[in-house]
Amino acid sequence: MTHDASLLGLRGLDRPSIEALLDRADHWLPRLEQGGPPPASRAVVGLMFLEDSTRTRCSFETAVHRLGHAPVVLSGRGSSASKGESLRDTAANLAAMGMQALVVRCGQSGGPRIVRDATGLPVVNAGDGRHEHPTQSLLDLSTLRDRLGSLEDRRILIVGDILNSRVARSNIHGLTAMGAHILLAGPASLVPWRLADLSPAVTVAHDLDAVIDTADAVMMLRIQRERSAGRAVADDYRHAFGLTRARADRLAPEVPILHPGPVNRGVELDDEVLDDPARSVVLEQVRRGVAVRMAVLEHALAAAGGDN
Ligand code: CP
């Protein structure tokens, strides 16, 4: 966490800080069904979702409710953002209404920082452009830690559109902090060699079949059609980089398969792989996402003087 309790990314967050959040999420996980204790005063949390979302928006909204606070959800469509109102002005208006914290999903890399600087409120990044998606990474780390125990020296294979992926970027920071090795695989156009410069813990591969056997966990990423406009998605992507049934059968039975969603079925993952409860932890990731966001919001609101 930064000094003001905003969570703008995982870059720079050290292992004890990450582990404190993951431990707090573990505290909340068994309590999800009951909700949290009734707070002495309800905080109002603005959820600025200016870009489409299913999992992250509903997960944050559920987390706010479970903590006993009140969410106010703003979508891009149907708000004055569609009339050209700037991110900064939109955020300043929500702050003027007395909100205690803001959660921001936007297409603009660095948007959450702009909101934090404009309002002075704690801001949680819910995915900004190609930059970071820190709570997605925290829920991935929570799921991996549950399945693998310590991530020290574990080899986590991330496959797909790494170049355009904020999930990959946050996970590179988060997994590095946790002591894991990261193997990035995909077509050279989406996984350039220079990504290995991000961290000594990162290795790049362009032949999935040559490396898949070495993974302790496999994270498949979505082919981001909306961020690769003008570049045709190769028809043979599944053949070269999809986690087909045949490839999944090469993994040891205990190797978990993750995907942040939404999944392009039959492209990144075959149906039988995604729907295999022994291998796929995709819905476990979503379940843990609520607890992780409760932990992050609790921290943000405590720093803001909110009661939680
Ligand atoms: N994983 C993720 O960010 O999904 P959404 O786009 O549905 O929020």
Side-chain angles (χ1 to χ4, degrees), residues 52-57 105 133 136 166 260-262:
D52 293 346
S53 169
T54 295
R55 277 146 293 272
T56 313
R57 192 190 72 191
R105 154 72 63 101
H133 194 346
Q136 176 66 47
R166 55 197 176 201

Side-chain angles (χ1 to χ4, degrees), residues 103-116:
V103 176
V104 180
R105 154 72 63 101
C106 62
Q108 185 179 351
S109 296
R113 182 176 296 275
I114 291 171
V115 170
R116 196 272 313 265

